[in-house]
Amino acid sequence: MTRVITAGLDGSPESLAAADWAAREALLRDLPLRLVLAWEPQSYDYPTASPPPAGPDLRRDWAQRVTRKAEEDLRRRHAGLRVGADEVDGQPVPVLLAAADDAELLVIGSRGLSGVGGFILGSVALSVVARATRPVVLVRAEEAVTTGRPPQEPPYREVVLGLDPHRPADALIEFAFDAAARRTSALRVIHGWTPPFYYGLDGGFGYSSAGVDLEVGAELAAQEAGALTDALRPWREKFPGVEVTEQPVVGGPAHHLVEAASGAGLLVIGRRNRGSAIGAHLGSVAHAVMHHATAPVAVVPHD
């Protein structure tokens, strides 16, 4: 099967921004772009999306107009882009999950609340990210532009990777290194760690640096930094051209990642393939990052 980058469309500004980002990624990887629109009327959980009209024939015509215009705009904006589109009569989650299975990457949109309030992920996006077997990238509408030039031209901003070096995942690390290499950009790797509880607590609400012996604290910090270096060593050797900054930080990783994303071109996080009584789910770090990071967020599933 032909390798492809896929973008989910629904007629909203968010999905058009996602399609534009996907077009640039397709050119970076020298792959074709596939646009997928699931045109069941109840599938659109973005209030800003243009809802399809009632009746199957009208909905089909609407879907064809949306994809045709998106194709034309993308070809005009991105010279050399190979792009096609499919309008699928089906519910968006199964349609997008099936499309993701056949893709190198699936790209979908997220909607902004405000400059500081974060972003909304509709039920479709959350379900797809939690269950996709391939990497999914979330793009906010602000990534889109109205000019004929791509919104981000080389040199690209740095790629940021959130990594637990004690449980490194090859798929996650390789995705981030490969993204940085293709963009000729720097890679920043953030590892958030917290001292064990027996080194001191601050009234039960957080860890207090004053409660940790300075010498022991320095030793723990050195151990965490060493673990990060060890986890990245083989990937530095595999991608010698990538400039890597290792950043072990005290505390939960979510706010450090969100902060780093403000100046990044892409934020990469992982999602473990695990189930629960209610099905696939996302961890707290992934939720926080996806709702508040201003950069596009790539969620990479791994074992």
Side-chain angles (χ1 to χ4, degrees):
M1 181 173 292
T2 303
R3 296 166 58 211
V4 66
I5 302 296
T6 298
L9 280 180
D10 65 5
S12 69
E14 296 77 28
S15 72
L16 296 176
D20 193 81
W21 192 96
R24 286 176 274 143
E25 188 69 15
L27 290 172
L28 272 177
R29 297 177 181 233
D30 191 24
L31 294 176
L33 172 64
R34 178 191 181 202
L35 305 177
V36 175
L37 190 154
W39 49 272
E40 285 287 342
Q42 61 267 41
S43 68
Y44 299 91
D45 58 1
Y46 288 122
T48 55
S50 300
D57 291 339
L58 292 177
R59 291 200 304 270
R60 187 180 296 107
D61 290 343
W62 169 86
Q64 291 172 347
R65 288 197 304 273
V66 170
T67 56
R68 188 181 306 115
K69 185 177 187 307
E71 282 188 82
E72 292 172 353
D73 289 345
L74 290 172
R75 286 196 178 97
R76 185 182 69 252
R77 288 165 53 77
H78 302 282
L81 178 68
R82 294 169 288 161
V83 56
D86 293 304
E87 304 88 24
V88 183
D89 182 6
Q91 292 295 312
V93 172
V95 166
L96 291 175
L97 288 173
D101 286 341
D102 297 332
E104 290 283 296
L105 191 68
L106 174 67
V107 188
I108 54 181
S110 63
R111 182 164 63 90
L113 287 171
S114 68
V116 297
F119 300 90
I120 287 177
L121 292 182
S123 59
V124 169
L126 283 171
S127 296
V128 170
V129 170
R131 295 163 55 188
T133 59
R134 302 292 298 166
V136 178
V137 176
L138 298 166
V139 178
R140 62 192 179 110
E142 287 79 354
E143 286 290 311
V145 297
T146 56
T147 67
R149 298 172 57 192
Q152 182 180 314
E153 296 180 346
Y156 291 93
R157 292 173 291 169
E158 71 176 358
V159 175
V160 174
L161 167 64
L163 180 67
D164 179 357
H166 302 290
R167 295 189 298 175
D170 288 352
L172 173 63
I173 301 173
E174 184 171 23
F175 184 97
F177 269 86
D178 181 72
R182 291 180 185 278
R183 290 162 170 75
T184 319
S185 68
L187 173 64
R188 180 179 302 276
V189 185
I190 296 178
H191 163 44
W193 66 279
T194 305
F197 73 93
Y198 45 79
Y199 284 109
L201 287 168
D202 183 16
F205 295 100
Y207 291 90
S208 170
S209 58
V212 181
D213 179 87
L214 293 179
E215 184 175 338
V216 174
E219 181 179 346
L220 290 172
Q223 291 174 359
E224 295 297 329
L228 184 58
T229 296
D230 290 344
L232 296 177
R233 183 175 293 112
W235 299 99
R236 283 178 176 270
E237 295 173 355
K238 185 175 181 179
F239 294 89
V242 175
E243 177 186 342
V244 182
T245 299
E246 299 176 12
Q247 189 176 341
V249 291
V250 176
H255 76 275
H256 293 291
L257 292 171
V258 170
E259 184 178 61
S262 64
L266 179 66
L267 174 59
V268 183
I269 60 173
R271 176 186 65 77
R272 291 195 173 274
N273 290 318
R274 57 187 180 183
S276 70
I278 58 174
H281 66 284
L282 298 165
S284 59
V285 172
H287 267 287
V289 167
M290 290 188 301
H291 282 286
H292 295 286
T294 55
V297 177
V299 184
V300 181
H302 59 84
D303 296 328

